[in-house]
Amino acid sequence: MSSGKLPKVGDEVEYAPGRLAIVTDIREGRPYLRRSAVSEWPAPDSDALPVKRTREERIAAGDFW
């Protein structure tokens, strides 16, 4: 798990306790999130999004959806 970093595109973040999503875009400094089979939405507070796995960690694990 990576912590203390601002999320980047492709990172897996925890947007609510136990709820994970992927950062798909960053528009005007605001991350946009997506879960499997759910539409994209803007994150309410990017400072409160802990990065669980970076894009690179997800690729290394073969988990890139």
Side-chain angles (χ1 to χ4, degrees):
M1 168 175 50
S2 301
S3 61
K5 302 161 106 180
L6 289 177
K8 297 178 184 172
V9 172
D11 289 353
E12 180 181 66
V13 297
E14 186 173 34
Y15 65 93
R19 309 277 290 189
L20 301 176
I22 304 301
V23 177
T24 59
D25 197 4
I26 299 175
R27 301 175 200 154
E28 298 178 9
R30 175 175 281 189
Y32 278 69
L33 309 178
R34 179 171 296 212
R35 289 185 322 163
S36 181
V38 177
S39 296
E40 185 179 67
W41 74 94
D45 183 4
S46 61
D47 293 335
L49 287 175
V51 176
K52 302 308 265 183
R53 292 188 301 164
T54 64
R55 178 179 187 269
E56 293 79 14
E57 291 169 332
R58 291 179 52 235
I59 290 170
D63 181 25
F64 205 78
W65 48 270

